[in-house]
Amino acid sequence: SREVCSEIAGALSAMALTGREVEIVQASWAKVRAIGGESGHAVTKDIFYKHMHQNKEVAALFKGVDMNLQATKLWNMLNLAVRSLTNLGSVVPMLQESGARHVAYGCYPEHYDVVGASLLYTLGVGLGAEFTPELKAAWTKVYGVVAKTMCDAQEAERSRQKAAKVKMFLGVGAVVAVVGAFVFAASKKP
């Protein structure tokens, strides 16, 4: 809802990046984009996913997934997020939708730690000595905002799904009770 987006946008403002952080993240991303090209596969498939899939639990989440398509989606999402650093609230709905979708994939908050570590590893490989402690801290902050937004949406989706199951269970229970009462009443007739 719009109210939730506004609330998250406000929380994101509290975590807002400094002008310097935005500048160095965007400049570093321009260099990474030059390496990755249009699809980003040289970065996402060859470095990021190779590193991330060393975690067997996370690798299992990608079984049967078209990794070319997945790599392109990740690349496009990163591009949008980096371009939107001066207005993080504008990407909240996209991040929330993505986080909610990830429930169906079996994703949990602890998986975001693996993804974050792989992102930082990839940036370190791609940028080499230019991946300074200051730049790493800025990227860590960016990823923290993204991960928190997606995790919060995931938890909200899990709660929504749980409530729907309870509602369905109660509905089925009511039907069973009515049918049971009818059968009981019918069995008491002479």
Side-chain angles (χ1 to χ4, degrees):
S1 78
R2 228 182 230 307
E3 186 175 292
V4 171
C5 285
S6 296
E7 195 174 296
I8 290 174
L12 291 177
S13 294
M15 298 166 57
L17 296 151
T18 66
R20 169 82 178 143
E21 290 168 327
V22 169
E23 179 187 322
I24 64 175
V25 166
Q26 288 179 333
S28 68
W29 183 248
K31 291 175 183 176
V32 172
R33 274 188 52 88
I35 297 166
E38 189 63 33
S39 70
H41 290 184
V43 174
T44 53
K45 281 182 61 183
D46 299 343
I47 303 170
F48 178 82
Y49 284 116
K50 269 188 183 169
H51 182 268
M52 190 172 71
H53 287 177
Q54 290 174 12
N55 180 295
K56 302 290 184 221
E57 187 178 323
V58 172
L61 297 174
F62 290 90
K63 195 172 187 124
V65 171
D66 177 345
M67 290 309 294
N68 285 328
L69 179 61
Q70 182 64 31
T72 301
K73 285 181 179 181
L74 173 65
W75 191 247
N76 291 337
M77 187 172 174
L78 285 168
N79 281 320
L80 178 61
V82 172
R83 279 196 324 264
S84 302
L85 289 178
T86 56
N87 183 13
L88 287 172
S90 68
V91 295
V92 166
M94 179 211 45
L95 294 172
Q96 288 175 320
E97 289 170 18
S98 182
R101 266 194 323 273
H102 278 71
V103 170
Y105 309 146
C107 214
Y108 285 90
E110 57 270 19
H111 297 136
Y112 286 86
D113 293 340
V114 176
V115 173
S118 293
L119 174 63
L120 296 176
Y121 171 81
T122 301
L123 292 165
V125 168
L127 296 169
E130 293 180 49
F131 196 55
T132 64
E134 178 189 25
L135 183 56
K136 182 178 181 178
W139 270 102
T140 299
K141 194 172 180 181
V142 168
Y143 181 72
V145 170
V146 169
K148 178 168 180 18
T149 304
M150 290 180 68
C151 284
D152 288 351
Q154 253 184 18
E155 292 310 307
E157 178 62 14
R158 279 197 178 85
S159 294
R160 187 198 66 72
Q161 288 178 5
K162 185 177 179 180
K165 285 179 185 176
V166 167
K167 187 176 179 181
M168 182 185 75
F169 178 75
L170 292 175
V172 169
V175 169
V176 168
V178 168
V179 169
F182 178 74
V183 169
F184 179 77
S187 70
K188 294 295 183 186
K189 288 187 178 179

